[in-house]
């Protein structure tokens, strides 16, 4: 019995009424939220539009979950479809019970991001470099879900940080109570990797997907060692676990791309951001867009007429108000006969014939 150890949680599921709250799912959700926050800050610092990472997460998260589960089920199919499978086939859909392959999550998640970037005119390599550190942090947080599920632990150990595992869990050894906490090893590794990615990206001005390539190379390097400590069921090829071979292949591919992308010098698009419009310049009332547009057109037309036709202003002064045509007509007639304010008042003899004449005209 070791002198010190890390205890496992007594439960990984809590019930809020009839709704189960699973620690594994909470760790994944928290990891996604933190990754989005980190990515959003890095994207704005690069000159991208605010809110872009949040919008792209709508594409990446569902694609990533499906990809991660598919990879797990395909590589560990014997757990659900084998003759002595410990799980029912329907449980292949029970993502909350654990089982997400990071390779499938990143691959299919990248496909979802590509769909989102394509519609916005954003370079996929620029986006990959931006979100790489956040992905590493999300993995560091998500690994704690394995801790609550008491799964994916390592071989037996007497080290002071050995992880206590219940004796009835798959992969345990009779008479052994503590195992390597591989979840903790990977969590610490991922956090350190995220810091290295941020530092290297700034120090060497890495672009064109080189930060993301560095993430893949760094993660697979640590994963190869950690995978070798695990005792859970896995396929073996030439003495190595399947995920170790996957790590080797991806490490070589990532380093090859890192070298290749170093020769690229072109600009990467971060999308088109509309330029701000000055206050009051061409503003349209959102409640009456058509009226505002008509008023603007009328104002422009009036100014142009006044500028091109010197007599336009004078003609406008003689215009008749449609609301009082008779009053303005009388005024115009008075001005014509000189009955303006500067003319002396007319004598009774002058008014009477005019009034009579006007009366005769109305009878006709």
């Amino acid at each position: 019995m070791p002198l010190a150890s890390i205890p496992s949680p007594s439960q990984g599921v809590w019930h809020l009424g009839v709704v189960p709250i699973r620690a594994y799912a909470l760790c994944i959700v928290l990891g996604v939220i933190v990754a989005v926050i980190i990515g959003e800050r890095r994207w704005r610092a690069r000159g991208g539009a605010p809110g872009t990472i949040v919008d792209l997460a709508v594409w990446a998260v569902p694609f990533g979950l499906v990809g991660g589960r598919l990879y797990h089920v395909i590589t560990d199919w014997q757990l659900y479809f084998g003759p002595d499978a410990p799980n029912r086939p329907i449980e292949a859909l029970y993502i909350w019970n654990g089982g997400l392959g990071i390779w499938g999550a990143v691959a299919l998640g990248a496909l979802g991001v590509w769909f989102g970037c394509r519609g916005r005119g954003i370079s996929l390599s620029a986006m990959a470099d931006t979100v790489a550190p956040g992905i590493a942090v999300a993995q560091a947080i998500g690994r704690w879900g394995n801790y609550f599920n008491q799964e994916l632990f390592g071989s037996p150990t007497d080290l002071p940080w050995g992880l206590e595992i219940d004796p009835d869990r798959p992969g345990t050894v009779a008479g052994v109570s503590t195992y390597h906490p591989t979840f903790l090893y990977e969590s610490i590794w991922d956090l350190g990797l995220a810091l290295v990615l941020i530092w290297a990206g700034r120090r060497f001005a890495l672009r064109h997907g080189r930060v993301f390539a560095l993430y893949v190379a760094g993660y697979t390097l640590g994963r190869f060692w950690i995978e070798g400590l695990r005792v859970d069921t896995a396929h073996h090829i030439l003495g190595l676990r399947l995920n170790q071979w996957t790590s080797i292949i991806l490490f070589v591919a990532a380093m090859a791309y890192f070298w290749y992308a170093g020769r690229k010098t072109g600009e990467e698009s971060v999308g088109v951001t509309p330029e701000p419009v000055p206050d009051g310049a061409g503003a349209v009332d959102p409640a009456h867009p058509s009226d505002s547009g008509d008023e603007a057109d009328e104002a422009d037309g009036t100014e142009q007429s006044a500028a091109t036709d010197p007599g336009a202003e004078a003609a406008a002064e003689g215009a008749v108000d449609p609301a009082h045509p008779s009053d303005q007509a009388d005024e115009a007639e008075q001005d014509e006969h000189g009955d303006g304010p500067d003319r002396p008042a007319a004598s009774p003899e002058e008014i009477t014939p005019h009034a009579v004449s006007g009366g005769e005209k109305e009878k006709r």
Side-chain angles (χ1 to χ4, degrees), residues 186-197:
E186 186 169 332
S187 182
I188 295 174
W189 180 272
D190 291 339
L191 289 176
L193 176 60
L195 295 176
V196 170
L197 294 177

Side-chain angles (χ1 to χ4, degrees), residues 39-49 122-131 201 205-211 266-270:
E40 185 69 22
R41 294 186 62 180
R42 286 172 55 83
W43 185 249
R44 290 200 305 266
R46 188 159 182 167
I122 296 174
S123 172
L124 181 61
S125 61
M127 181 57 63
D129 286 341
T130 300
V131 301
L206 300 179
R207 293 289 187 270
H208 299 287
R210 302 185 79 197
V211 175
E267 291 293 331
E268 295 175 287
S269 174
V270 295

Side-chain angles (χ1 to χ4, degrees), residues 65 69-70 72-73 80-81 87-100:
L65 290 176
R69 191 60 176 178
L70 280 176
H72 165 72
V73 173
Y80 306 96
F81 306 104
N87 304 308
R88 296 172 298 162
I90 188 62
E91 293 185 48
L93 304 177
Y94 293 178
I95 190 174
W96 52 86
N97 288 336
L100 288 176

Side-chain angles (χ1 to χ4, degrees), residues 227-247:
E227 190 71 23
L229 295 175
R230 289 182 176 175
V231 294
D232 55 294
T233 303
H235 296 288
H236 287 75
I237 303 174
L238 300 177
L240 295 178
R241 292 164 64 95
L242 176 60
N243 280 330
Q244 287 182 299
W245 283 107
T246 305
S247 297

